Amino acid sequence: MVFESIVVELINRYLGDFVENLDRSQLKLGIWGGDVVLKNLDLKESALDELDLPVKIRAGHIANLTLKIPWKNLYTEPVVASIDGLYALGYPQYR
């Protein structure tokens, strides 16, 4: 579906710094309900780099990422992201 590939490209643009290899097979769209559900996402080791935290990610996984998108009111209502099943193995980063 063309719409799915457009949504995947947009999500890759905004989440690409945090997750590995997002593709259409991980995506479930509920267009009229406003939900975009992504399943089985792997975190990149560099996911926390921009936050300047003293922690690095060794490995990480997100079971479900749900984006509630108000398609009818995109300019007046927020997009809400919910994460279910976040697993991360981190280690301290010394400076």
Side-chain angles (χ1 to χ4, degrees):
M1 184 171 173
V2 175
F3 185 69
E4 284 180 353
S5 61
I6 292 171
V7 171
V8 168
E9 176 149 345
L10 286 172
I11 291 172
N12 263 329
R13 185 179 309 163
Y14 293 103
L15 296 179
D17 292 341
F18 305 102
V19 297
E20 298 272 354
N21 302 324
L22 177 64
D23 62 29
R24 290 171 69 181
S25 68
Q26 297 166 298
L27 179 68
K28 180 181 156 203
L29 288 174
I31 297 173
W32 303 118
D35 290 349
V36 175
V37 179
L38 299 160
K39 295 180 178 283
N40 301 320
L41 301 173
D42 291 323
L43 291 177
K44 289 184 176 181
E45 288 186 10
S46 61
L48 300 178
D49 287 354
E50 290 186 26
L51 299 175
D52 200 28
L53 297 173
V55 177
K56 290 286 281 184
I57 297 287
R58 175 81 59 197
H61 181 79
I62 298 173
N64 289 309
L65 171 64
T66 303
L67 302 172
K68 294 195 179 284
I69 302 172
W71 296 110
K72 296 178 184 174
N73 302 313
L74 279 174
Y75 297 108
T76 58
E77 293 184 25
V79 173
V80 177
S82 302
I83 295 175
D84 182 34
L86 172 63
Y87 306 97
L89 174 63
Y91 62 94
Q93 176 182 343
Y94 301 105
R95 298 198 167 132

